[in-house]
Amino acid sequence: MVERRSVQAGGRRLSYLEKGEPAAGEPSLVLIHGLMGTAATFLPLLAEIAEGRHVIALDLPGAGGSERDPKMGASLAAVTESVLKALGALKLERPVLVGHSHGGAVAMYLAAFHPERTSGLVLLAPAHPYFRHADQLIGFYLSPLGKVFAHTLPWYPAWVQMAGLRRMAGPQSWDTPERLVPYRENLRTRGTIPHLL
């Protein structure tokens, strides 16, 4: 059974989903979501993971049920530091990190700079932490017009958002309107868009 919990880590409340309990000799799995996602985007994967395996799906700072604070850093180093503090608060020693998209970049960064804190990596379509190809798109979102677009995007019809999600996930994506719900809820939560920007 998957349960929603929270932990104080680095002075902020982080929300997470948990399935199973830690077992001696078995590393826990820690799932790290993508930039616009939340722990809830991993629910289909959590359902497929065998019972008896301990799994944590984190809501990164500024996402899902985790605290939003306009002063918190959004850099790769700052997000990685939050994940490290969460691992410490949850007393997870050397888990296997499973990172999707931006979460994959966070997992790679953590493993590269703190190899003693993980026993393995699973990368699901990871973002490249130093990829410059998207700089123009990022520049657009940071422009006045782009900021207006970003703030209104969560309120567009679901079919428009699905087109964007499929473009991001690929034409053969199995994403459905139901799988879009956690993204929509996250982006509609006050403070999420400014943090992403």
Side-chain angles (χ1 to χ4, degrees):
M1 182 167 78
V2 176
E3 294 189 42
R4 170 73 64 185
R5 302 183 191 283
S6 66
V7 64
Q8 285 294 123
R12 289 193 179 85
R13 183 183 50 78
L14 291 182
S15 179
Y16 63 95
L17 297 174
E18 184 172 30
K19 179 179 178 178
E21 296 179 6
E26 282 277 327
S28 297
L29 298 177
V30 175
L31 312 181
I32 307 170
H33 63 76
L35 192 60
M36 293 183 290
T38 68
T41 59
F42 282 120
L43 284 170
L45 178 60
L46 285 165
E48 296 296 323
I49 294 174
E51 292 298 326
R53 185 76 190 206
H54 183 238
V55 189
I56 297 282
L58 293 172
D59 275 333
L60 293 175
S66 288
E67 193 173 335
R68 286 156 176 80
D69 176 354
K71 296 176 193 155
M72 68 185 165
S75 69
L76 192 55
V79 174
T80 301
E81 188 62 30
S82 293
V83 172
L84 281 168
K85 288 178 180 172
L87 296 180
L90 293 168
K91 297 179 175 46
L92 296 177
E93 293 186 26
R94 306 200 67 215
V96 172
L97 304 177
V98 180
H100 172 246
S101 189
H102 180 67
V106 172
M108 284 189 280
Y109 195 89
L110 192 152
F113 290 99
H114 303 279
E116 74 286 355
R117 297 298 302 271
T118 182
S119 62
L121 285 176
V122 177
L123 303 173
L124 309 171
H128 188 300
Y130 303 106
F131 188 56
R132 302 275 53 109
H133 185 70
D135 284 357
Q136 284 184 318
L137 183 61
I138 292 166
F140 166 72
Y141 277 108
L142 296 178
S143 73
L145 177 62
K147 287 180 181 180
V148 169
F149 179 72
H151 282 278
T152 58
L153 182 63
W155 307 102
Y156 286 10
W159 69 268
V160 173
Q161 294 172 342
M162 275 306 300
L165 187 61
R166 285 218 173 99
R167 185 172 185 275
M168 201 169 52
Q172 302 303 313
S173 168
W174 48 268
D175 284 322
T176 63
E178 293 76 32
R179 295 194 199 279
L180 181 66
V181 171
Y183 293 98
R184 286 172 62 105
E185 288 175 355
N186 185 47
L187 293 175
R188 288 179 174 182
T189 302
R190 185 182 176 107
T192 299
I193 297 292
H195 180 68
L196 288 172
L197 293 174

